Amino acid sequence: MKICIIGGARPNFMKIAPIIKAIKKHNRFRRPPIDYLLVHTGQHYDENMSKFFFDDLEIPIPDINLEVGSASHAVQVAEIMLRFEKVCLNQNPTHVLVVGDVNSTIACALVATKLGIKIIHVEAGLRSFDRSMPEEINRVLTDAISDLLFTTEESANENLRREGISEGKINFVGNVMIDTLLFHKRKAEKSDILRKLGLMNLGKNSSKDKVDPYSVLTIHRPANVDEEDAFKNIIQGLSEIAKSIPIIFPIHPRTQNQIKEFRLESYFKWHSGNGSKFRKEDGIIDCIEPLGYLEFMKLMSNARLVLTDSGGIQEETTILGIPCVTIRENTERPVTVTNGTNVVAGVKKEGIIKAALAQLKRKSIPCTPALWDGKAAERILKAILREKEITSKQRDYVKEDAIS
Ligand code: UD1
């Protein structure tokens, strides 16, 4: 057995980290060891979108980097396929393990299936039912060709069953992203990002530092930022919220480009991040460079509110108990609404403002959906080894049958 693990874009890295950790632990104590190979597609390449995550999460340096970089979706997927096919032909993996729903996920899964290599999909079955999102297409197609599908919530199991995926392929194991969060929580607490951003307020009657109230924003989905009127409307809503509470915005490169493109700079101010006292300006959103994993976790954990269009952040805020407003029409992670702190606000400014003001009144209560307990990667490894045992028994049986 040889597993080729794929990481490509920022949200992949926190998902592959606990899986690699579980394999390393297995290899320290058990025999035979699991042979594995880490491939970075290079979909994300900026230091603060990739390298800092590898450092923070202690992910080994990839064995191979395909260095595909940015391009249109068709070109990006095609380039990954061309380059990854060569890797598969040279390395002969028995399994390709892909996570999440990014272009690297579908591209590598397609290569594997054409070569008859088994596909393991971690975070399978999530559905927004919105086919205009590139991630939804990536999810549906990857699941359709995967051999082992690992899910994070019950809705994902139901979606896969409805799509005709056989029960034997579906494994409800919990959430690897939450494995990473729980594992790194203590380390993240030590980050001094709040001081760097001037958010610490030295309490008058106590020597203990206190944190000023603030919210955190992340937004980068093409549907939200690529169309001028839609983006402007969202920004106007956020600017209104910024009159009630400061908004700290670690800004994704795509969004940064779009702000320039649509000349929306007047709504934003670059935050120095040099430790000087934070100064709130009514209606202005405070931009900072994208943060590494530990700094972002610390920033999010101490926020009063998180505004986002990310998928993973809806899950992380649920576990942290931080009220979350999702700036989208839907979520593929409904458990964060039914059992968590998330509210789906839509993409119109009135809805976003209303949801944010309501969420600001909500108490911070951590929630733990079923199996989000830090052990998902271990369950995944167990299931992979179980499947390997079954396949080799079947192979032996076929061999014996042929001999007799
Ligand atoms: C991708 C994922 C999305 C995920 C997001 C997290 C797909 C279809 N989308 O979107 O699901 O939530 O990553 O970040 O795979 N860029 C840089 N430096 C980088 C990477 C990107 O400057 O390291 C810029 C480029 O201008 C690029 C743009 O960001 O064109 C978009 O990057 P891309 O990887 O195409 O998609 P994301 O929007 O990041």
Side-chain angles (χ1 to χ4, degrees), residues 4-67:
C4 182
I5 300 171
I6 308 297
R10 186 171 60 176
N12 292 164
F13 306 138
M14 41 287 227
K15 295 170 195 166
I16 60 172
I19 297 170
I20 295 172
K21 194 155 70 72
I23 295 178
K24 280 184 167 173
K25 188 172 159 199
H26 170 96
N27 288 355
R28 266 203 309 278
F29 299 111
R30 307 218 165 180
R31 289 290 165 268
I34 297 168
D35 195 7
Y36 73 99
L37 173 80
L38 177 58
V39 174
H40 191 324
T41 64
Q43 177 176 347
H44 284 173
Y45 45 88
D46 282 359
E47 283 206 324
N48 52 22
M49 298 293 285
S50 176
K51 183 180 178 301
F52 296 161
F53 281 76
F54 275 69
D55 296 346
D56 277 357
L57 302 175
E58 295 163 32
I59 305 172
I61 295 169
D63 299 284
I64 295 167
N65 193 325
L66 304 179
E67 295 181 342

Side-chain angles (χ1 to χ4, degrees), residues 154-373:
E154 185 47 40
S155 77
N157 303 333
E158 283 165 22
N159 295 333
L160 293 173
R161 283 181 207 123
R162 200 181 322 107
E163 288 170 24
I165 308 284
S166 72
E167 197 67 42
K169 291 183 178 179
I170 306 169
N171 286 272
F172 177 33
V173 289
N175 193 324
V176 281
M177 197 154 191
I178 301 306
D179 288 8
T180 293
L181 185 150
L182 296 176
F183 184 78
H184 289 279
K185 212 165 167 229
R186 277 235 185 102
K187 215 158 124 197
E189 272 160 22
K190 294 192 186 124
S191 151
D192 70 345
I193 185 68
L194 301 184
R195 191 198 51 74
K196 272 203 234 160
L197 294 176
L199 292 165
M200 302 299 285
N201 175 15
L202 211 60
K204 277 184 196 140
N205 302 321
S206 136
S207 60
K208 254 186 138 185
D209 284 335
K210 297 218 171 77
V211 180
D212 286 331
Y214 65 90
S215 62
V216 175
L217 166 69
T218 81
I219 190 158
H220 67 272
R221 299 266 167 208
N224 282 341
V225 305
D226 284 2
E227 208 267 304
E228 185 169 359
D229 288 342
F231 189 30
K232 197 165 175 194
N233 189 269
I234 291 173
I235 297 301
Q236 285 167 346
L238 293 168
S239 164
E240 215 34 57
I241 297 165
K243 291 177 185 165
S244 302
I245 186 162
I247 299 180
I248 311 286
F249 181 23
I251 187 164
H252 185 285
R254 171 195 284 280
T255 313
Q256 207 169 328
N257 293 341
Q258 297 308 87
I259 289 170
K260 271 194 217 127
E261 167 89 16
F262 302 141
R263 303 185 162 277
L264 295 171
E265 289 97 338
S266 61
Y267 289 96
F268 300 90
K269 171 179 104 215
W270 273 97
H271 195 296
S272 69
N274 65 2
S276 59
K277 183 78 196 115
F278 179 75
R279 246 186 271 280
K280 176 171 174 274
E281 266 180 56
D282 264 4
I284 299 291
I285 298 162
D286 287 273
C287 296
I288 55 175
E289 289 294 337
L291 297 175
Y293 183 80
L294 298 172
E295 287 189 328
F296 186 69
M297 208 43 65
K298 169 89 177 200
L299 187 66
M300 197 158 60
S301 307
N302 286 277
R304 291 282 169 91
L305 173 72
V306 171
L307 302 139
T308 191
D309 63 358
S310 145
I313 289 174
Q314 298 169 44
E315 298 180 336
E316 289 166 341
T317 45
T318 280
I319 286 284
L320 294 169
I322 308 299
C324 177
V325 170
T326 295
I327 305 172
R328 281 175 44 189
E329 295 292 1
N330 48 54
T331 177
E332 61 288 336
R333 294 159 158 92
V335 78
T336 61
V337 176
T338 53
N339 295 28
T341 58
N342 188 20
V343 165
V344 179
V347 293
K348 294 279 172 290
K349 65 179 173 192
E350 296 77 12
I352 299 168
I353 297 166
K354 196 171 157 214
L357 297 181
Q359 285 286 69
L360 275 171
K361 291 190 191 127
R362 186 171 176 164
K363 274 202 182 131
S364 162
I365 302 172
C367 313
T368 310
L371 299 185
W372 290 20
D373 57 0

Side-chain angles (χ1 to χ4, degrees), residues 73-124:
H73 283 215
V75 172
Q76 195 174 55
V77 169
E79 275 299 331
I80 297 171
M81 287 185 72
L82 283 170
R83 298 177 195 199
F84 185 56
E85 186 183 48
K86 288 191 186 123
V87 173
C88 289
L89 293 174
N90 285 334
Q91 299 284 339
N92 280 319
T94 54
H95 294 73
V96 167
L97 185 151
V98 291
V99 296
D101 54 18
V102 302
N103 285 343
S104 302
T105 310
I106 179 64
C108 293
L110 269 174
V111 170
T113 198
K114 301 269 180 190
L115 293 172
I117 302 166
K118 287 201 168 173
I119 303 166
I120 302 166
H121 186 203
V122 175
E123 202 186 81

